Amino acid sequence: MTAAGASKHDRGRFLDLTAKDLAAARAERGAEPVQEYRSRLISDVVTDKLDVHEAAAALPEVDPLAVEYEDDDIERSEALR
């Protein structure tokens, strides 16, 4: 491989890694509010600021057999078993 070819290859790897790093950083930033909400929810339940039974009663009824799932969701749920 020539020096110019190696240089193009290295740049391609760098750009690919940069894109992956950027995507990972965006995913982490997107997950932060969900993690904060989860922590707050757990805290509110533990300190009796939120009544779980009352909150559950306010949820809509959902037939789990009628819900359509993405393939990724099914794979993730199977992996958790």
Side-chain angles (χ1 to χ4, degrees), residues 44-66:
D44 287 351
V45 169
V46 170
T47 59
D48 288 330
K49 292 180 182 176
L50 175 66
D51 181 5
V52 178
H53 300 290
E54 184 179 314
L59 293 174
E61 291 293 324
V62 177
D63 181 3
L65 299 177

Side-chain angles (χ1 to χ4, degrees), residues 74 76-81:
I74 293 170
R76 272 187 245 128
S77 67
E78 289 174 352
L80 295 174
R81 291 182 190 168

Side-chain angles (χ1 to χ4, degrees), residues 22-36:
L22 180 60
R26 285 183 178 163
E28 282 183 29
R29 280 196 310 267
E32 284 176 10
V34 175
Q35 292 169 342
E36 289 174 15

Side-chain angles (χ1 to χ4, degrees), residues 1-15:
M1 180 177 288
T2 66
S7 178
K8 286 181 184 179
H9 177 71
D10 291 341
R11 281 193 302 253
R13 278 188 53 211
F14 174 76
L15 292 175

